[in-house]
């Protein structure tokens, strides 16, 4: 059984993430979506909220998909999941340079787990969670970038943040 881990913060999960999830699910028997925290980012949603959001988005997929929180080295997490590969999405050349370096470091940590790069659909390549949050915070329409339920989640969070700021 071929198992892959697709790690990320998913804050929030975007249509770009879902495209990579769908593509990865077609090439593996089991896909583990690892939801993590990134100390260099300020999340809009808690880890529990992000887990619930991603679980809702992947509900009903044909491939076995698990959504799991982790707070460790990616390669340690992947090993615990029995993964054969790490899936990473690419949007632009800048992504490739960063991901290439990370893949090299991960290979040094565990050379039994391959890194596989998947390109997002051309129409989804500009989407980044950071930009979705920024657009939402300024009252912009994010419905082209996230599913309707995630759009509702983000709008509700922006409203809460707005009330706290006033």
């Amino acid at each position: 059984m071929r198992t892959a881990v697709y790690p990320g913060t998913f804050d929030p999960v975007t249509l770009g993430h879902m495209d990579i999830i769908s593509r990865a699910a077609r090439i593996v028997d089991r896909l583990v979506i690892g939801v993590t925290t990134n100390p260099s980012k300020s999340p809009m949603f808690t880890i529990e909220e992000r887990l619930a959001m991603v679980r809702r988005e992947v509900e009903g997929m044909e491939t076995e998909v698990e959504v799991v929180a982790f707070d460790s080295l990616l390669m340690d997490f992947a090993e615990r999941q029995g993964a054969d590969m790490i899936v990473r999405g690419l949007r632009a050349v800048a992504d490739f340079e960063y991901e290439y370096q990370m893949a090299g470091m991960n290979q040094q940590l565990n050379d039994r787990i391959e890194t596989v790069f998947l390109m997002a659909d051309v129409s989804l390549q500009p989407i980044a969670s950071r930009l979705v949050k920024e657009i939402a915070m300024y009252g912009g329409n994010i419905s082209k970038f996230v599913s309707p339920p995630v759009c509702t989640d983000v709008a509700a969070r922006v409203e809460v943040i707005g009330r706290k700021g006033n």
Side-chain angles (χ1 to χ4, degrees), residues 16-17 19-20 23 89-91 118-125:
H17 291 129
D19 183 58
I20 297 299
R23 289 167 187 271
L90 294 177
R91 295 175 298 210
L118 297 176
M119 297 293 296
D121 183 271
V122 174
S123 68
L124 303 173
Q125 286 180 7

Side-chain angles (χ1 to χ4, degrees), residues 24-52:
R26 289 196 301 264
I27 62 173
V28 299
D29 302 303
R30 176 175 166 252
L31 179 61
V32 178
I33 301 169
V35 180
T36 190
T37 55
N38 183 334
S40 67
K41 296 180 180 179
S42 301
M44 177 178 270
F45 296 96
T46 67
I47 190 81
E48 294 80 13
E49 290 169 329
R50 288 181 279 136
L51 286 166

